[in-house]
Amino acid sequence: MIGVSDSAAAGVPEPGTPGARKRSVATGSPVAEWSFPADPGAVRTARTMVRRVLHDWGVNGAADVAVLLVSELVTNSLRYASGPIGVRMVLLSASGLLVEVSDPLPDPPQERTAAPDDEGGRGLQLVACSSRRWGTRRGKSGKTVWFELSVAG
């Protein structure tokens, strides 16, 4: 499910209910939100939806990195949490994109150094190296991992 709306996006806002539509005429910032079941197909669907919305917003330059990072974070959510996975994107300005991935597990992800033979353990490193800033926060029922990308140029 997708909801595209206007929303206040100062700093790192608390995410709305994934899939919900809301409007705030104050800022005019585009917002897209989805809620995916904890199912392996959610990763592919999330990638498709992120790419489609960024194309609609004219933010094609950030699409490949955004799709990669969303894919990593949704995969992490599938691996460690059961329950719905929320993805939210906010076009902060002409130069910034905020992306959030939420799940019901309250524990923050642990950044680790992966050995060359490890199959996993690089997702947060990719987020840290590819975004201009990122972080985690606890919510009322779970956590959110967020990152910002530059969309200028």
Side-chain angles (χ1 to χ4, degrees):
M1 171 185 246
I2 181 174
V4 178
S5 64
D6 299 328
S7 175
V12 179
E14 185 67 26
T17 304
R21 291 179 184 235
K22 58 187 175 181
R23 294 192 73 71
S24 170
V25 187
T27 65
S29 296
V31 175
E33 298 178 278
W34 305 271
S35 181
F36 301 104
D39 177 80
V43 179
R44 178 178 49 241
T45 305
R47 286 192 303 252
T48 300
M49 300 307 290
V50 166
R51 187 171 301 283
R52 183 176 299 154
V53 167
L54 291 177
H55 174 76
D56 290 348
W57 289 350
V59 186
N60 296 318
D64 289 339
V65 174
V67 166
L68 171 66
L69 299 183
V70 166
S71 181
E72 289 292 332
L73 294 177
V74 170
T75 299
N76 282 352
S77 290
L78 285 171
R79 176 176 269 179
Y80 299 109
S82 60
I85 299 165
V87 176
R88 180 173 183 255
M89 297 192 313
V90 180
L91 191 57
L92 298 173
S93 64
S95 65
L97 175 71
L98 170 68
V99 181
E100 302 170 320
V101 176
S102 303
D103 65 50
L105 188 66
D107 303 323
Q110 298 297 313
E111 200 173 354
R112 66 182 178 102
T113 302
D117 295 346
D118 289 348
E119 289 185 21
R122 293 174 186 84
L124 289 179
Q125 290 176 345
L126 281 171
V127 172
C129 292
S130 302
S131 61
R132 64 182 184 189
R133 66 185 196 128
W134 74 281
T136 63
R137 68 173 177 276
R138 287 189 179 182
K140 294 175 186 169
S141 60
K143 67 159 174 321
T144 298
V145 180
W146 60 268
F147 61 89
E148 284 185 15
L149 296 175
S150 176
V151 296

Short mmCIF file of all heavy atoms in Angstrom, two decimals, residues 18-79:
data_model
loop_
_atom_site.label_atom_id
_atom_site.label_comp_id
_atom_site.label_asym_id
_atom_site.label_seq_id
_atom_site.Cartn_x
_atom_site.Cartn_y
_atom_site.Cartn_z
N PRO A 18 2.62 3.30 8.95
CA PRO A 18 2.93 2.92 7.57
C PRO A 18 1.65 2.63 6.79
O PRO A 18 0.73 2.00 7.28
CB PRO A 18 3.76 1.65 7.73
CG PRO A 18 4.37 1.80 9.09
CD PRO A 18 3.33 2.50 9.92
N GLY A 19 1.61 3.14 5.58
CA GLY A 19 0.46 2.93 4.72
C GLY A 19 -0.63 3.98 4.90
O GLY A 19 -1.55 4.04 4.12
N ALA A 20 -0.52 4.80 5.94
CA ALA A 20 -1.55 5.80 6.19
C ALA A 20 -1.34 7.01 5.29
O ALA A 20 -0.23 7.33 4.92
CB ALA A 20 -1.51 6.24 7.65
N ARG A 21 -2.43 7.68 4.96
CA ARG A 21 -2.34 8.93 4.21
C ARG A 21 -2.60 10.08 5.17
O ARG A 21 -3.47 9.99 6.02
CB ARG A 21 -3.38 8.96 3.10
CG ARG A 21 -3.10 7.99 2.01
CD ARG A 21 -4.20 8.07 0.96
NE ARG A 21 -3.96 7.07 -0.04
CZ ARG A 21 -3.87 7.36 -1.33
NH1 ARG A 21 -4.03 8.57 -1.76
NH2 ARG A 21 -3.63 6.40 -2.20
N LYS A 22 -1.83 11.15 5.03
CA LYS A 22 -2.07 12.34 5.83
C LYS A 22 -1.64 13.55 5.04
O LYS A 22 -0.86 13.44 4.11
CB LYS A 22 -1.33 12.25 7.16
CG LYS A 22 0.16 12.09 7.03
CD LYS A 22 0.77 11.86 8.38
CE LYS A 22 2.24 11.58 8.22
NZ LYS A 22 2.88 11.33 9.46
N ARG A 23 -2.13 14.70 5.41
CA ARG A 23 -1.78 15.91 4.68
C ARG A 23 -1.47 17.03 5.66
O ARG A 23 -2.14 17.19 6.65
CB ARG A 23 -2.93 16.33 3.77
CG ARG A 23 -3.18 15.32 2.66
CD ARG A 23 -4.11 15.84 1.59
NE ARG A 23 -3.52 16.83 0.73
CZ ARG A 23 -2.59 16.59 -0.20
NH1 ARG A 23 -2.09 15.41 -0.34
NH2 ARG A 23 -2.17 17.55 -0.98
N SER A 24 -0.46 17.79 5.34
CA SER A 24 -0.12 19.00 6.06
C SER A 24 0.24 20.03 5.00
O SER A 24 1.23 19.88 4.31
CB SER A 24 1.07 18.77 6.99
OG SER A 24 1.51 20.00 7.49
N VAL A 25 -0.57 21.01 4.86
CA VAL A 25 -0.37 21.99 3.80
C VAL A 25 0.81 22.90 4.09
O VAL A 25 1.33 23.55 3.20
CB VAL A 25 -1.66 22.83 3.61
CG1 VAL A 25 -1.56 23.73 2.41
CG2 VAL A 25 -2.88 21.92 3.49
N ALA A 26 1.32 22.88 5.31
CA ALA A 26 2.36 23.81 5.72
C ALA A 26 3.64 23.69 4.90
O ALA A 26 4.21 24.69 4.50
CB ALA A 26 2.68 23.62 7.20
N THR A 27 4.16 22.50 4.68
CA THR A 27 5.47 22.38 4.05
C THR A 27 5.43 21.99 2.59
O THR A 27 6.33 22.33 1.85
CB THR A 27 6.32 21.33 4.78
OG1 THR A 27 5.70 20.06 4.62
CG2 THR A 27 6.50 21.66 6.23
N GLY A 28 4.45 21.23 2.18
CA GLY A 28 4.39 20.77 0.81
C GLY A 28 5.40 19.70 0.48
O GLY A 28 5.64 19.42 -0.68
N SER A 29 6.05 19.10 1.47
CA SER A 29 7.05 18.06 1.23
C SER A 29 6.37 16.74 0.89
O SER A 29 5.54 16.25 1.64
CB SER A 29 7.92 17.85 2.48
OG SER A 29 8.66 19.00 2.75
N PRO A 30 6.74 16.14 -0.23
CA PRO A 30 6.17 14.84 -0.59
C PRO A 30 6.60 13.75 0.39
O PRO A 30 7.74 13.72 0.84
CB PRO A 30 6.74 14.56 -1.97
CG PRO A 30 7.22 15.86 -2.49
CD PRO A 30 7.61 16.66 -1.28
N VAL A 31 5.67 12.86 0.70
CA VAL A 31 5.91 11.73 1.60
C VAL A 31 5.31 10.50 0.95
O VAL A 31 4.20 10.56 0.41
CB VAL A 31 5.26 11.95 2.98
CG1 VAL A 31 5.41 10.71 3.86
CG2 VAL A 31 5.85 13.17 3.67
N ALA A 32 6.01 9.39 1.02
CA ALA A 32 5.46 8.10 0.58
C ALA A 32 5.69 7.10 1.70
O ALA A 32 6.76 7.08 2.31
CB ALA A 32 6.15 7.63 -0.70
N GLU A 33 4.66 6.31 2.02
CA GLU A 33 4.74 5.33 3.10
C GLU A 33 4.14 4.01 2.65
O GLU A 33 3.14 4.00 1.93
CB GLU A 33 3.96 5.81 4.32
CG GLU A 33 4.48 7.09 4.92
CD GLU A 33 3.62 7.52 6.09
OE1 GLU A 33 2.57 8.15 5.82
OE2 GLU A 33 4.00 7.22 7.22
N TRP A 34 4.76 2.94 3.10
CA TRP A 34 4.25 1.60 2.83
C TRP A 34 4.35 0.75 4.07
O TRP A 34 5.21 1.00 4.93
CB TRP A 34 5.07 0.90 1.75
CG TRP A 34 5.19 1.63 0.47
CD1 TRP A 34 4.36 1.56 -0.61
CD2 TRP A 34 6.23 2.54 0.09
NE1 TRP A 34 4.81 2.37 -1.61
CE2 TRP A 34 5.96 2.97 -1.22
CE3 TRP A 34 7.37 3.03 0.73
CZ2 TRP A 34 6.77 3.86 -1.90
CZ3 TRP A 34 8.18 3.92 0.07
CH2 TRP A 34 7.88 4.34 -1.24
N SER A 35 3.55 -0.29 4.13
CA SER A 35 3.66 -1.31 5.16
C SER A 35 3.69 -2.65 4.45
O SER A 35 2.82 -2.95 3.63
CB SER A 35 2.46 -1.23 6.11
OG SER A 35 2.59 -2.21 7.11
N PHE A 36 4.73 -3.44 4.73
CA PHE A 36 4.91 -4.73 4.09
C PHE A 36 4.81 -5.85 5.11
O PHE A 36 5.29 -5.69 6.25
CB PHE A 36 6.29 -4.81 3.42
CG PHE A 36 6.52 -3.75 2.39
CD1 PHE A 36 7.31 -2.65 2.67
CD2 PHE A 36 5.93 -3.83 1.14
CE1 PHE A 36 7.53 -1.66 1.72
CE2 PHE A 36 6.13 -2.85 0.18
CZ PHE A 36 6.93 -1.76 0.48
N PRO A 37 4.25 -6.99 4.72
CA PRO A 37 4.25 -8.13 5.64
C PRO A 37 5.67 -8.67 5.78
O PRO A 37 6.52 -8.43 4.92
CB PRO A 37 3.35 -9.14 4.93
CG PRO A 37 3.45 -8.80 3.48
CD PRO A 37 3.64 -7.30 3.44
N ALA A 38 5.93 -9.38 6.86
CA ALA A 38 7.24 -9.99 7.07
C ALA A 38 7.34 -11.23 6.17
O ALA A 38 7.21 -12.36 6.61
CB ALA A 38 7.43 -10.35 8.54
N ASP A 39 7.54 -10.96 4.89
CA ASP A 39 7.56 -12.00 3.87
C ASP A 39 8.74 -11.70 2.94
O ASP A 39 8.98 -10.52 2.62
CB ASP A 39 6.24 -11.96 3.10
CG ASP A 39 6.21 -12.94 1.97
OD1 ASP A 39 5.97 -14.13 2.24
OD2 ASP A 39 6.43 -12.52 0.81
N PRO A 40 9.49 -12.72 2.49
CA PRO A 40 10.64 -12.45 1.62
C PRO A 40 10.33 -11.62 0.38
O PRO A 40 11.18 -10.87 -0.10
CB PRO A 40 11.12 -13.86 1.23
CG PRO A 40 10.67 -14.73 2.35
CD PRO A 40 9.35 -14.14 2.82
N GLY A 41 9.11 -11.70 -0.13
CA GLY A 41 8.74 -10.89 -1.29
C GLY A 41 8.69 -9.40 -1.00
O GLY A 41 8.67 -8.58 -1.92
N ALA A 42 8.68 -9.04 0.28
CA ALA A 42 8.63 -7.62 0.65
C ALA A 42 9.85 -6.85 0.17
O ALA A 42 9.75 -5.67 -0.16
CB ALA A 42 8.49 -7.48 2.16
N VAL A 43 10.99 -7.51 0.10
CA VAL A 43 12.22 -6.82 -0.32
C VAL A 43 12.08 -6.36 -1.76
O VAL A 43 12.34 -5.20 -2.09
CB VAL A 43 13.45 -7.73 -0.14
CG1 VAL A 43 14.71 -7.03 -0.61
CG2 VAL A 43 13.60 -8.15 1.32
N ARG A 44 11.67 -7.25 -2.63
CA ARG A 44 11.50 -6.90 -4.05
C ARG A 44 10.44 -5.81 -4.22
O ARG A 44 10.62 -4.86 -4.98
CB ARG A 44 11.14 -8.15 -4.86
CG ARG A 44 10.92 -7.85 -6.33
CD ARG A 44 10.61 -9.09 -7.17
NE ARG A 44 9.57 -9.90 -6.59
CZ ARG A 44 9.72 -11.19 -6.20
NH1 ARG A 44 10.88 -11.78 -6.35
NH2 ARG A 44 8.71 -11.86 -5.69
N THR A 45 9.33 -5.95 -3.51
CA THR A 45 8.25 -4.97 -3.62
C THR A 45 8.72 -3.60 -3.12
O THR A 45 8.43 -2.57 -3.74
CB THR A 45 7.02 -5.43 -2.84
OG1 THR A 45 6.64 -6.74 -3.30
CG2 THR A 45 5.86 -4.48 -3.02
N ALA A 46 9.46 -3.58 -2.01
CA ALA A 46 9.97 -2.31 -1.48
C ALA A 46 10.90 -1.64 -2.49
O ALA A 46 10.80 -0.43 -2.72
CB ALA A 46 10.69 -2.54 -0.15
N ARG A 47 11.79 -2.41 -3.10
CA ARG A 47 12.70 -1.84 -4.11
C ARG A 47 11.90 -1.23 -5.26
O ARG A 47 12.20 -0.12 -5.71
CB ARG A 47 13.64 -2.93 -4.66
CG ARG A 47 14.73 -3.33 -3.73
CD ARG A 47 15.78 -4.17 -4.44
NE ARG A 47 15.24 -5.37 -5.05
CZ ARG A 47 15.42 -6.60 -4.60
NH1 ARG A 47 16.12 -6.81 -3.51
NH2 ARG A 47 14.91 -7.62 -5.26
N THR A 48 10.90 -1.94 -5.74
CA THR A 48 10.08 -1.46 -6.85
C THR A 48 9.36 -0.17 -6.49
O THR A 48 9.35 0.80 -7.27
CB THR A 48 9.06 -2.53 -7.27
OG1 THR A 48 9.78 -3.71 -7.68
CG2 THR A 48 8.18 -2.05 -8.40
N MET A 49 8.75 -0.13 -5.31
CA MET A 49 7.98 1.04 -4.89
C MET A 49 8.90 2.26 -4.69
O MET A 49 8.55 3.37 -5.09
CB MET A 49 7.19 0.74 -3.63
CG MET A 49 6.18 -0.40 -3.79
SD MET A 49 5.06 -0.19 -5.18
CE MET A 49 4.06 1.14 -4.59
N VAL A 50 10.05 2.06 -4.06
CA VAL A 50 10.99 3.17 -3.85
C VAL A 50 11.44 3.74 -5.18
O VAL A 50 11.41 4.95 -5.40
CB VAL A 50 12.18 2.70 -2.99
CG1 VAL A 50 13.33 3.70 -3.03
CG2 VAL A 50 11.74 2.44 -1.55
N ARG A 51 11.83 2.87 -6.10
CA ARG A 51 12.29 3.34 -7.41
C ARG A 51 11.19 4.10 -8.14
O ARG A 51 11.41 5.16 -8.73
CB ARG A 51 12.79 2.18 -8.26
CG ARG A 51 13.44 2.65 -9.55
CD ARG A 51 14.13 1.54 -10.31
NE ARG A 51 15.18 0.85 -9.60
CZ ARG A 51 16.42 1.33 -9.41
NH1 ARG A 51 16.73 2.52 -9.88
NH2 ARG A 51 17.32 0.62 -8.78
N ARG A 52 9.97 3.58 -8.09
CA ARG A 52 8.83 4.21 -8.79
C ARG A 52 8.55 5.61 -8.23
O ARG A 52 8.37 6.56 -8.99
CB ARG A 52 7.58 3.33 -8.65
CG ARG A 52 6.38 3.87 -9.40
CD ARG A 52 5.20 2.94 -9.31
NE ARG A 52 5.56 1.64 -9.91
CZ ARG A 52 5.00 0.49 -9.59
NH1 ARG A 52 4.04 0.45 -8.69
NH2 ARG A 52 5.37 -0.62 -10.18
N VAL A 53 8.51 5.73 -6.91
CA VAL A 53 8.20 7.04 -6.31
C VAL A 53 9.33 8.04 -6.57
O VAL A 53 9.07 9.20 -6.89
CB VAL A 53 7.90 6.89 -4.80
CG1 VAL A 53 7.89 8.24 -4.11
CG2 VAL A 53 6.58 6.19 -4.60
N LEU A 54 10.57 7.60 -6.45
CA LEU A 54 11.68 8.53 -6.72
C LEU A 54 11.65 8.98 -8.18
O LEU A 54 11.94 10.15 -8.47
CB LEU A 54 13.02 7.89 -6.35
CG LEU A 54 13.22 7.69 -4.85
CD1 LEU A 54 14.54 6.98 -4.58
CD2 LEU A 54 13.15 9.01 -4.09
N HIS A 55 11.29 8.10 -9.08
CA HIS A 55 11.14 8.50 -10.49
C HIS A 55 10.03 9.54 -10.62
O HIS A 55 10.20 10.57 -11.29
CB HIS A 55 10.85 7.27 -11.36
CG HIS A 55 10.55 7.63 -12.78
ND1 HIS A 55 11.53 7.99 -13.68
CD2 HIS A 55 9.37 7.71 -13.44
CE1 HIS A 55 10.96 8.27 -14.83
NE2 HIS A 55 9.65 8.11 -14.73
N ASP A 56 8.88 9.29 -9.96
CA ASP A 56 7.77 10.24 -10.00
C ASP A 56 8.16 11.59 -9.43
O ASP A 56 7.68 12.63 -9.89
CB ASP A 56 6.56 9.70 -9.23
CG ASP A 56 5.91 8.51 -9.92
OD1 ASP A 56 6.23 8.24 -11.10
OD2 ASP A 56 5.09 7.84 -9.27
N TRP A 57 9.02 11.59 -8.41
CA TRP A 57 9.47 12.84 -7.80
C TRP A 57 10.60 13.50 -8.59
O TRP A 57 11.05 14.59 -8.23
CB TRP A 57 9.93 12.60 -6.37
CG TRP A 57 8.84 12.28 -5.40
CD1 TRP A 57 7.50 12.36 -5.59
CD2 TRP A 57 9.01 11.79 -4.06
NE1 TRP A 57 6.83 11.98 -4.46
CE2 TRP A 57 7.74 11.62 -3.49
CE3 TRP A 57 10.12 11.50 -3.28
CZ2 TRP A 57 7.55 11.17 -2.20
CZ3 TRP A 57 9.94 11.04 -1.99
CH2 TRP A 57 8.65 10.88 -1.46
N GLY A 58 11.13 12.83 -9.60
CA GLY A 58 12.24 13.37 -10.37
C GLY A 58 13.56 13.30 -9.65
O GLY A 58 14.45 14.11 -9.89
N VAL A 59 13.70 12.32 -8.77
CA VAL A 59 14.91 12.16 -7.95
C VAL A 59 15.64 10.89 -8.40
O VAL A 59 16.01 10.05 -7.60
CB VAL A 59 14.56 12.09 -6.44
CG1 VAL A 59 15.80 12.07 -5.59
CG2 VAL A 59 13.68 13.27 -6.05
N ASN A 60 15.84 10.76 -9.69
CA ASN A 60 16.44 9.55 -10.24
C ASN A 60 17.91 9.36 -9.84
O ASN A 60 18.39 8.23 -9.75
CB ASN A 60 16.31 9.54 -11.76
CG ASN A 60 14.86 9.47 -12.19
OD1 ASN A 60 14.07 8.73 -11.63
ND2 ASN A 60 14.50 10.28 -13.18
N GLY A 61 18.62 10.45 -9.59
CA GLY A 61 20.04 10.36 -9.22
C GLY A 61 20.29 9.64 -7.92
O GLY A 61 21.35 9.05 -7.73
N ALA A 62 19.34 9.65 -7.01
CA ALA A 62 19.50 8.98 -5.71
C ALA A 62 18.84 7.61 -5.70
O ALA A 62 18.92 6.89 -4.70
CB ALA A 62 18.91 9.85 -4.60
N ALA A 63 18.20 7.22 -6.79
CA ALA A 63 17.38 6.01 -6.78
C ALA A 63 18.19 4.74 -6.53
O ALA A 63 17.79 3.91 -5.71
CB ALA A 63 16.61 5.88 -8.09
N ASP A 64 19.32 4.57 -7.20
CA ASP A 64 20.07 3.33 -7.04
C ASP A 64 20.55 3.14 -5.60
O ASP A 64 20.42 2.05 -5.04
CB ASP A 64 21.27 3.28 -7.99
CG ASP A 64 20.86 3.10 -9.44
OD1 ASP A 64 19.73 2.63 -9.69
OD2 ASP A 64 21.67 3.43 -10.33
N VAL A 65 21.07 4.20 -4.99
CA VAL A 65 21.55 4.09 -3.61
C VAL A 65 20.37 3.89 -2.66
O VAL A 65 20.42 3.04 -1.76
CB VAL A 65 22.37 5.33 -3.21
CG1 VAL A 65 22.74 5.30 -1.73
CG2 VAL A 65 23.63 5.42 -4.06
N ALA A 66 19.29 4.63 -2.85
CA ALA A 66 18.12 4.47 -1.99
C ALA A 66 17.57 3.06 -2.07
O ALA A 66 17.24 2.44 -1.05
CB ALA A 66 17.04 5.49 -2.36
N VAL A 67 17.47 2.52 -3.27
CA VAL A 67 16.95 1.15 -3.45
C VAL A 67 17.87 0.14 -2.77
O VAL A 67 17.40 -0.77 -2.08
CB VAL A 67 16.78 0.84 -4.96
CG1 VAL A 67 16.58 -0.64 -5.21
CG2 VAL A 67 15.62 1.64 -5.52
N LEU A 68 19.18 0.29 -2.93
CA LEU A 68 20.13 -0.62 -2.28
C LEU A 68 19.99 -0.59 -0.77
O LEU A 68 19.89 -1.63 -0.11
CB LEU A 68 21.56 -0.25 -2.68
CG LEU A 68 22.67 -1.00 -1.91
CD1 LEU A 68 22.65 -2.48 -2.25
CD2 LEU A 68 24.02 -0.37 -2.20
N LEU A 69 19.94 0.61 -0.19
CA LEU A 69 19.88 0.73 1.26
C LEU A 69 18.54 0.26 1.82
O LEU A 69 18.50 -0.39 2.87
CB LEU A 69 20.20 2.16 1.69
CG LEU A 69 21.59 2.68 1.29
CD1 LEU A 69 21.82 4.08 1.82
CD2 LEU A 69 22.69 1.74 1.71
N VAL A 70 17.45 0.57 1.14
CA VAL A 70 16.14 0.06 1.58
C VAL A 70 16.14 -1.46 1.52
O VAL A 70 15.67 -2.13 2.44
CB VAL A 70 15.00 0.66 0.74
CG1 VAL A 70 13.70 -0.11 0.94
CG2 VAL A 70 14.80 2.13 1.10
N SER A 71 16.70 -2.02 0.47
CA SER A 71 16.78 -3.47 0.34
C SER A 71 17.54 -4.08 1.51
O SER A 71 17.10 -5.08 2.10
CB SER A 71 17.46 -3.82 -0.99
OG SER A 71 17.54 -5.21 -1.16
N GLU A 72 18.65 -3.50 1.88
CA GLU A 72 19.45 -4.00 3.01
C GLU A 72 18.66 -3.92 4.32
O GLU A 72 18.65 -4.87 5.11
CB GLU A 72 20.76 -3.21 3.15
CG GLU A 72 21.75 -3.48 2.06
CD GLU A 72 22.33 -4.90 2.12
OE1 GLU A 72 22.40 -5.48 3.22
OE2 GLU A 72 22.71 -5.42 1.07
N LEU A 73 18.02 -2.78 4.56
CA LEU A 73 17.32 -2.59 5.84
C LEU A 73 16.06 -3.44 5.93
O LEU A 73 15.74 -3.97 7.00
CB LEU A 73 17.02 -1.11 6.06
CG LEU A 73 18.26 -0.24 6.26
CD1 LEU A 73 17.85 1.23 6.39
CD2 LEU A 73 19.08 -0.69 7.46
N VAL A 74 15.33 -3.59 4.84
CA VAL A 74 14.15 -4.45 4.86
C VAL A 74 14.59 -5.91 5.06
O VAL A 74 13.97 -6.66 5.81
CB VAL A 74 13.29 -4.28 3.58
CG1 VAL A 74 12.21 -5.34 3.49
CG2 VAL A 74 12.67 -2.88 3.56
N THR A 75 15.68 -6.30 4.42
CA THR A 75 16.21 -7.65 4.62
C THR A 75 16.58 -7.87 6.09
O THR A 75 16.28 -8.93 6.67
CB THR A 75 17.42 -7.90 3.71
OG1 THR A 75 17.00 -7.78 2.35
CG2 THR A 75 18.02 -9.27 3.94
N ASN A 76 17.23 -6.88 6.71
CA ASN A 76 17.56 -6.99 8.14
C ASN A 76 16.30 -7.15 8.97
O ASN A 76 16.26 -7.97 9.90
CB ASN A 76 18.33 -5.76 8.62
CG ASN A 76 19.78 -5.78 8.22
OD1 ASN A 76 20.29 -6.77 7.70
ND2 ASN A 76 20.45 -4.67 8.44
N SER A 77 15.28 -6.38 8.66
CA SER A 77 14.02 -6.49 9.41
C SER A 77 13.43 -7.89 9.25
O SER A 77 12.95 -8.48 10.22
CB SER A 77 13.01 -5.44 8.94
OG SER A 77 13.42 -4.16 9.33
N LEU A 78 13.46 -8.42 8.05
CA LEU A 78 12.94 -9.77 7.82
C LEU A 78 13.74 -10.82 8.58
O LEU A 78 13.18 -11.79 9.08
CB LEU A 78 12.97 -10.11 6.33
CG LEU A 78 11.91 -9.46 5.47
CD1 LEU A 78 12.20 -9.71 4.00
CD2 LEU A 78 10.53 -9.98 5.84
N ARG A 79 15.02 -10.61 8.66
CA ARG A 79 15.90 -11.59 9.33
C ARG A 79 15.68 -11.63 10.83
O ARG A 79 15.72 -12.69 11.44
CB ARG A 79 17.34 -11.27 9.02
CG ARG A 79 18.34 -12.18 9.74
CD ARG A 79 19.74 -11.89 9.33
NE ARG A 79 20.04 -12.76 8.20
CZ ARG A 79 21.18 -12.77 7.57
NH1 ARG A 79 22.12 -11.91 7.91
NH2 ARG A 79 21.40 -13.60 6.58
#
